[in-house]
Amino acid sequence: MGFKVAIVGATGNVGREMLNILEERGFPIDEVVALASRRSLGTEVSFGDRTLKVKVLDTYDFSDTDLCIMSAGGNVSKEWSPKIGKQGCVVIDNSSAFRYDQDVPLIVPEVNPDAISLFTRKNIIANPNCSTAQLVVALKPLHDHARIKRVVVATYQSVSGAGKEGMDELFTQTRAVFVADPVEAKKFTKRIAFNVIPHIDVFMDDGFTKEEWKMVAETKKMLDPKIKLTATCVRVPVFIGHSEAVNIEFENPITADEAREILRDAPGCLVVDKREDGGYATPIDTAGEDATYISRIREDSTIDNGLSMWIVSDNLRKGAALNAVQIAELLVERGLITPKKKAA
């Protein structure tokens, strides 16, 4: 007996990817429902060899639905996730709405799977920010071995992190540059084509952006509240795939060779680290892939027990859709949810 699963935000980049990944990984589904806002009513989306017609979230009854994966933004999640949870449907929320709620577990299955049992408090599980998800997958096994004290990270985040509008803007601006048309910035604060923008999300009073704050708060919640982390988040003219230059200071000694071996054996990690031309991962290499790729692992001689590395992942997959589906799989593996039809 399979589950009845609803995807909210099914017409967006991440929603479509969620449908693809559910089908790819053979999640036990009896019925899948695509939901979105009224303006998307009747839009068609694919699920394997099936075509689904989008239904309206506002009028949908979740009482016989087992699992709802939300990817419709924070405002929609704040309004709807608690309502859906109260109808006995478990919500996996891809927005930032509940990530910092102490009654809602924030989960990356390779990092803190045991925390998932806390979902019963509100029937909601939070999916982390895309830039944090890939970072903690790489940090977790190293932290277990040598205890991380401090992390300094600079991100190189693709435009797909800003949704379809971000991807469209990069495409439109790039074409405009080549044909000498005016370049107009709508989604981003400055031109993104052939440029980089050190600004993601809103500015906070201390000068950091909300995206940078998210990385700090989420790493502490999922990995260890004692870890000190500082981030600079940058939007780059890449369509898919976030990259991160990461410097880590450990409490205990660890060599680059040890780190390489630890990461090779770690779940969700793929080490591509040859000291030669092209012997490292780039965003284009990771598009459509599930793994978090780790390259350029080297010792930092400026601090005791320091390492530097390069981390790359498909932000639409591990940073969003894949992680959400892995959370759903974890619920099933641990027997934390059963199909309502079967229970009836």
Side-chain angles (χ1 to χ4, degrees), residues 5-27 29 31-36 43-55 67 69 71 316-317 320-322 324-325:
V5 180
I7 307 294
V8 177
T11 57
N13 285 344
V14 174
R16 290 174 188 270
E17 197 70 11
M18 285 170 173
L19 288 164
N20 292 337
I21 293 171
L22 283 166
E23 197 276 332
E24 278 175 21
R25 294 173 71 90
F27 188 81
I29 289 179
E31 183 179 353
V32 62
V33 182
L35 299 171
T43 301
E44 294 184 344
V45 294
S46 297
F47 177 66
D49 57 2
R50 285 183 269 170
T51 299
L52 307 176
K53 282 195 179 293
V54 172
K55 298 180 180 180
L67 192 62
I69 307 180
S71 186
L316 297 181
R317 291 181 75 89
L322 172 64
V325 174

Side-chain angles (χ1 to χ4, degrees), residues 29-105:
I29 289 179
D30 266 3
E31 183 179 353
V32 62
V33 182
L35 299 171
S37 64
R38 290 185 181 276
R39 68 176 179 273
S40 296
L41 177 63
T43 301
E44 294 184 344
V45 294
S46 297
F47 177 66
D49 57 2
R50 285 183 269 170
T51 299
L52 307 176
K53 282 195 179 293
V54 172
K55 298 180 180 180
V56 177
L57 168 63
D58 293 6
T59 57
Y60 184 74
D61 180 2
F62 286 88
S63 60
D64 67 344
T65 304
D66 302 299
L67 192 62
C68 173
I69 307 180
M70 297 278 291
S71 186
N75 291 333
V76 174
S77 290
K78 283 176 187 174
E79 179 182 356
W80 282 97
S81 291
K83 295 178 185 177
I84 296 167
K86 285 177 181 176
Q87 292 187 57
C89 177
V90 180
V91 179
I92 299 172
D93 180 29
N94 193 52
S95 80
S96 61
F98 297 96
R99 288 176 188 157
Y100 318 108
D101 186 326
Q102 291 307 304
D103 290 328
V104 174

Side-chain angles (χ1 to χ4, degrees), residues 75-325:
N75 291 333
V76 174
S77 290
K78 283 176 187 174
E79 179 182 356
W80 282 97
S81 291
K83 295 178 185 177
I84 296 167
K86 285 177 181 176
Q87 292 187 57
C89 177
V90 180
V91 179
I92 299 172
D93 180 29
N94 193 52
S95 80
S96 61
F98 297 96
R99 288 176 188 157
Y100 318 108
D101 186 326
Q102 291 307 304
D103 290 328
V104 174
L106 178 66
I107 301 293
V108 170
E110 298 93 336
V111 175
N112 62 335
D114 292 343
I116 199 168
S117 61
L118 300 174
F119 84 93
T120 54
R121 294 176 181 176
K122 289 189 175 179
N123 251 12
I124 301 171
I125 302 165
N127 212 28
N129 187 39
C130 48
S131 52
T132 311
Q134 67 187 64
L135 177 66
V136 294
V137 167
L139 293 184
K140 166 66 173 172
L142 300 176
H143 183 57
D144 288 347
H145 180 82
R147 310 307 295 173
I148 294 171
K149 289 171 61 177
R150 181 172 183 258
V151 180
V152 180
V153 55
T155 71
Y156 304 71
Q157 294 178 228
S158 66
V159 293
S160 57
K164 184 178 181 297
E165 291 176 349
M167 298 178 78
D168 289 346
E169 185 147 314
L170 174 57
F171 178 83
T172 302
Q173 288 184 359
T174 302
R175 182 173 58 187
V177 169
F178 279 113
V179 299
D181 280 349
V183 176
E184 190 176 359
K186 295 179 181 177
K187 180 66 178 178
F188 300 113
T189 55
K190 292 201 174 192
R191 175 178 130 178
I192 187 62
F194 305 98
N195 198 19
V196 298
I197 305 171
H199 175 195
I200 300 176
D201 213 325
V202 297
F203 276 98
M204 303 177 72
D205 290 341
D206 60 3
F208 285 89
T209 65
K210 188 75 176 289
E211 184 84 356
E212 293 156 354
W213 175 84
K214 288 174 188 175
M215 294 191 74
V216 175
E218 293 172 22
T219 300
K220 287 177 176 289
K221 182 172 179 176
M222 287 188 288
L223 197 53
D224 189 334
K226 295 179 183 176
I227 291 175
K228 296 178 180 179
L229 186 145
T230 185
T232 301
C233 292
V234 182
R235 190 72 72 190
V236 298
V238 169
F239 282 106
I240 295 173
H242 288 356
S243 306
E244 297 169 350
V246 185
N247 181 266
I248 312 166
E249 182 181 358
F250 296 87
E251 289 182 13
N252 303 312
I254 181 171
T255 66
D257 286 340
E258 287 172 333
R260 239 175 253 112
E261 290 307 310
I262 289 165
L263 291 167
R264 282 194 180 109
D265 292 336
C269 295
L270 184 62
V271 175
V272 180
D273 191 13
K274 296 179 180 178
R275 294 176 180 178
E276 60 186 43
D277 293 353
Y280 39 80
T282 63
I284 204 165
D285 302 317
T286 69
E289 300 292 328
D290 290 347
T292 294
Y293 287 67
I294 303 141
S295 306
R296 302 290 319 280
I297 302 167
R298 59 208 188 274
E299 289 155 32
D300 179 359
S301 61
T302 67
I303 53 171
D304 292 334
N305 308 326
L307 291 177
S308 293
M309 61 188 64
W310 175 251
I311 300 171
V312 191
S313 190
D314 182 330
N315 56 293
L316 297 181
R317 291 181 75 89
K318 188 55 190 172
L322 172 64
N323 199 73
V325 174

